[in-house]
Amino acid sequence: MSTIDNGVNVQALLDARDVLAGAPEAAQFTWRATSRWENGVHSTVTIQDFFGLGEEQSHNDEHVFDADHPEIFAATDDGITPIEYLLVGLASCLTAGIASVAQNRGIQLRSVESTVEGNHDIRGILGVDSDARNGFNDIKVTFTIDADASRQEIEALVAQSQKRSAVFDAITNPTEVTVEVA
Amino acid sequence: MSTIDNGVNVQALLDARDVLAGAPEAAQFTWRATSRWENGVHSTVTIQDFFGLGEEQSHNDEHVFDADHPEIFAATDDGITPIEYLLVGLASCLTAGIASVAQNRGIQLRSVESTVEGNHDIRGILGVDSDARNGFNDIKVTFTIDADASRQEIEALVAQSQKRSAVFDAITNPTEVTVEVA
C-alpha cells in the first residue's frame, strides 16, 4: 500500500484475521510460564512454549526472568519486582500496536519511546491499611513519537493501539485468576 | 520465632509495617519503565529507578527486557510477547508471598514451583470479533510445594499470599491507565 516500512508484516495480520474469522478454535491461545522459588523472595520464571493455531508452539529460545524485591525491603535485589513486570508488558504491547497501526496507515515511524509510571501505595501489601489496595493506584504512560505524521495522526495511532492492546485491557479490566495447589 | 529459614527477613517487613503505619507518605511508591521501539513489533523496556520511602531509589542493576511477537504472527520472535510478561509478574509475586508468609508462620519451604496458563482468544486484538476481549479470558496458576507442613497449612499459605499479592490484585481488579503523547 505504500513504500513505508516499520518492519511489520501487516498483510500477514490481515490474512490471519480473515482465516481466524472462519476458524475461531484456532484463535484460542494459551500462554504459559513456569516458576521456581530460589530463596527469600527471589524466584525465576521461564517462558518458551505456548498453544495456538490448534497446536503446540514454541518461541525460538527459552527466556528466564529473575524477580526479587529491592534492598530497601531487606531483600537481595536479584531482579526487578514482580509488579514492575506489568509495566514491561504494558509499554511493549502499546508500542507494538503503534508500529502495527502506523504500518497499516502508511505512516513511517522514526522513533517511539515511552515512560511508564505506576503509583503504588505499599500499605496495602504490608497490611497497614485495608483501604489501600494491593496493586497499583493508577498508571500513566507517556509516548514520545517521531514520525512522518501530524500530531493529530500520531495521537490517533496511540488511541488505536490502546483500543486493541491485550495488556492495556488486562490491566484496565478484571480477569479471573484461579490459584490451586497441585 | 523459629530456626526455619526461607531467606525472608520478616522482622524487617514487620518493622516497615510499623513505621509506615505512622508515615503514609513514605509508603507511596512509583515504579517506572522506559521503552524504546526497535523495529516491527520488537521493543526493549528498561527498568532501574523507582521512587519510594520519600526519595529516589534504584535497583543495583539496570534490567533490559525484549518483547516481540512469535514467528507465527510473521514477527521476529526476539523476545516473549508483551502479555506473557503479566504471567512472569503473577507467578513471581505469588511465590514471593508464599515464601514470606511461610517464614512468618515458621514453615520451612523446600521447593515452590508453579505453572501459569493464560487463556487468550486472539480474535479480540485482531478485530475479528468485538465480543472477544483483547486480554486474557482467564488465568490458572497451579503450585507444587514441598514444605514441612500439612496440605491444609500449604493451602493456607497460598491463600494468604493471594490476599496480599500486588500483581494478583492488579490483574483481577481494574486499574486506571492514562496514555498520553508528550
Side-chain angles (χ1 to χ4, degrees), chain A residues 6 17 29-31 33 35 40 59-60 77 84 114 116 118 120 126 133-135 141 143 163 169 178 180 182, chain B residues 6 17 29 31 33 35 40 59-60 71 77 84 114 116 118 120 126 133-135 141 143 163 169 178 180 182:
Chain A
N6 295 322
R17 179 157 75 179
F29 276 61
T30 301
W31 304 104
S35 73
H59 290 291
N60 289 332
D77 196 31
E84 289 175 297
S114 82
V116 185
H120 190 204
L126 286 171
R133 64 178 289 189
N134 292 324
V141 185
F143 275 101
K163 194 178 161 190
D169 175 56
T178 308
E180 290 180 1
Chain B
N6 296 322
R17 179 158 75 178
F29 275 61
W31 304 104
S35 73
H59 290 291
N60 289 332
E71 292 182 350
D77 196 30
E84 288 175 298
S114 82
V116 186
H120 189 205
L126 286 171
R133 64 178 289 188
N134 292 324
V141 185
F143 274 101
K163 193 178 162 191
D169 175 56
T178 309
E180 289 181 2

Side-chain angles (χ1 to χ4, degrees), chain B residues 94-182:
Chain B
L94 290 170
T95 301
I98 288 166
S100 301
V101 176
Q103 183 73 38
N104 196 39
R105 294 183 179 179
I107 294 173
Q108 181 64 51
L109 297 175
R110 279 187 294 268
S111 71
V112 180
E113 295 179 345
S114 82
T115 60
V116 186
E117 295 194 310
N119 293 310
H120 189 205
D121 182 344
I122 68 165
R123 290 180 302 166
I125 51 175
L126 286 171
V128 173
D129 184 345
S130 58
D131 287 339
R133 64 178 289 188
N134 292 324
F136 293 115
N137 296 332
D138 51 64
I139 299 173
K140 184 174 179 183
V141 185
T142 308
F143 274 101
T144 303
I145 298 176
D146 183 13
D148 287 332
S150 68
R151 181 174 175 95
Q152 195 178 4
E153 287 170 320
I154 289 172
E155 286 177 348
L157 285 182
V158 173
Q160 181 63 21
S161 171
Q162 249 179 283
K163 193 178 162 191
R164 286 278 172 245
S165 166
V167 175
F168 181 83
D169 175 56
I171 291 179
T172 55
N173 293 302
T175 299
E176 189 183 333
V177 178
T178 309
V179 184
E180 289 181 2
V181 178

Side-chain angles (χ1 to χ4, degrees), chain A residues 99-129:
Chain A
S100 302
V101 176
Q103 184 74 38
N104 195 39
R105 293 182 180 180
I107 295 173
Q108 180 65 52
L109 298 174
R110 279 186 294 267
S111 70
V112 180
E113 295 179 347
S114 82
T115 60
V116 185
E117 294 194 311
N119 293 310
H120 190 204
D121 183 344
I122 68 165
R123 290 179 301 166
I125 51 174
L126 286 171
V128 173
D129 184 344

